[in-house]
Amino acid sequence: MRRLLAAMALVLLPMAAQAATLYLAPTGNDQADGRTAQTPLATLAAAVARAQQAPAGEETRVIVLPGVYRGQSVDIDGRRLQGRLTIAGTASDPAAFPAFLGDGTSAWLHYRGAEGRDTGLTVQALRVARYATAISLNGNRNDPAAFNRGTVLENLVLAQIGSDAGTAKPSTAAIRLVNAKDTVVRGVFFHTIRNTPRDTCGGLHAIYLASHSTGARIEGNTFQDFCGSAIKLRDDSGGATIRANHFRDADGAPGIEEWFCDMDRTSECTKAGGECPSTGITVTGNDFGNLPADRRVLVRGSRVPRPWCPPGSAGAPRFLLDRGQTLP
């Protein structure tokens, strides 16, 4: 009987998820197996394609070996990714991070997922530079239930992010969240987040949370040399925690901004169903450097109740600040 019970217990134990490791190198080959550092792949797109072919529940870890990767970008289809995916360098020193260098156009990584589930995506220990947008996580902006959730972006360097003169549509974000919930952005160094020409620069943000991107944790990041709000929250993207960040060289821009685009008061809104305020955003322990007090945390937009917004959202505090203060 004891043996039978022991056998039954083993059957009932949860099975550990399988895991596969792929390697990426500037000198790699996408026809290689990618399973050792001696037989690496050349492009992140090839590694992600293999991850999307993995059996359900299999975790894929893409190890990005040191070096410079030029002109690469990747689209991840959340419907095809059935297991966790980690994309990571191995260095602890940011000066040694592998670098993805673009040409000032497109996004380096674009995740599309509107299935209302965790992405399983983690990106770590990389440098991404000279892209219009570094990372874009996109759910369905018009359906709060069609979200993606739980992406972790940590220990990254994002530099020279923005679009150049002549681009048809200026960039709006280094990291863009659209109905992307519970995203973690931690320990990221944002440097030179700028569009050219200068008159398009104010619309570019280091982190832009929009369309129900609730519950974000933005912690321990540094924002150096930016010309639009470093962190912008829009359209029901509340419940975020913004903690222990450093803001430097803001070029007159706010550190943190919440904007409710009220379609009854302005023609700037682009969402047919109407937007809503973002409320309950905790802002604590941040170092705003020499930013003027009125530019550290800024609220823009109406406080008039709108029938399409949650009850009470017009009057709820947008920000919960240190020492029990609220705004507004």
Side-chain angles (χ1 to χ4, degrees):
M1 177 63 74
R2 289 181 180 177
R3 291 181 180 178
L4 177 60
L5 291 173
M8 292 174 63
L10 287 174
V11 170
L12 294 174
L13 285 174
M15 295 293 290
Q18 292 182 306
T21 300
L22 297 172
Y23 292 84
L24 204 66
T27 56
N29 185 332
D30 283 348
Q31 304 307 310
D33 64 24
R35 294 192 174 273
T36 72
Q38 290 71 44
T39 58
L41 301 169
T43 67
L44 185 56
V48 168
R50 298 195 187 187
Q52 291 178 328
Q53 295 169 3
E58 179 171 288
E59 177 180 0
T60 302
R61 185 170 182 84
V62 178
I63 303 299
V64 184
L65 297 173
V68 177
Y69 300 78
R70 299 185 184 276
Q72 295 197 24
S73 60
V74 62
D75 279 280
I76 301 177
D77 184 345
R79 296 168 301 178
R80 296 178 55 199
L81 192 62
Q82 301 301 313
R84 300 188 63 80
L85 172 63
T86 297
I87 303 168
T90 58
S92 57
D93 180 359
F97 285 176
F100 289 88
L101 300 185
D103 60 1
T105 65
S106 71
W108 170 66
L109 185 150
H110 192 173
Y111 180 96
R112 306 170 194 268
E115 290 69 50
R117 60 183 177 86
D118 290 352
T119 67
L121 176 64
T122 297
V123 184
Q124 301 170 316
L126 302 173
R127 178 183 180 90
V128 179
R130 302 177 192 166
Y131 287 83
T133 296
I135 298 170
S136 186
L137 308 176
N138 289 75
N140 185 331
R141 70 188 294 234
N142 296 307
D143 181 359
F147 58 83
N148 60 72
R149 180 177 57 205
T151 298
V152 177
L153 309 173
E154 62 183 354
N155 300 332
L156 304 170
V157 176
L158 306 183
Q160 296 174 274
I161 303 297
S163 52
D164 295 328
T167 303
K169 189 175 182 180
S171 177
T172 60
I175 294 177
R176 179 188 297 109
L177 310 181
V178 179
N179 203 359
K181 300 181 184 298
D182 301 332
T183 303
V184 176
V185 183
R186 180 170 52 219
V188 178
F189 181 40
F190 297 86
H191 192 285
T192 314
I193 309 302
R194 291 181 171 273
N195 286 339
T196 57
R198 188 181 181 88
D199 63 3
T200 68
C201 201
L204 173 63
H205 312 285
I207 305 176
Y208 194 171
L209 303 89
S211 302
H212 320 293
S213 293
T214 56
R217 290 166 49 199
I218 302 173
E219 302 173 338
N221 306 288
T222 298
F223 303 91
Q224 176 82 39
D225 188 18
F226 55 96
C227 54
S229 304
I231 303 171
K232 183 170 181 175
L233 305 100
R234 176 176 176 178
D235 186 21
D236 188 31
S237 294
T241 299
I242 303 174
R243 183 196 311 274
N245 301 285
H246 303 270
F247 299 83
R248 300 287 184 270
D249 299 335
D251 199 16
I256 304 168
E257 175 189 353
E258 190 274 337
W259 182 37
F260 166 34
C261 190
D262 188 344
M263 64 188 297
D264 283 356
R265 294 193 167 201
T266 176
S267 61
E268 293 184 57
C269 307
T270 60
K271 189 175 180 180
E275 298 187 12
C276 295
S278 303
T279 61
I281 305 158
T282 298
V283 177
T284 183
N286 296 284
D287 174 9
F288 290 99
N290 61 0
L291 267 68
D294 63 352
R295 286 281 178 178
R296 295 178 178 182
V297 183
L298 180 68
V299 173
R300 294 176 55 213
S302 168
R303 294 193 66 81
V304 177
R306 297 303 177 199
W308 54 83
C309 294
S313 61
R318 305 292 211 275
F319 291 101
L320 311 175
L321 307 177
D322 289 328
R323 298 183 296 278
Q325 295 178 313
T326 62
L327 184 68

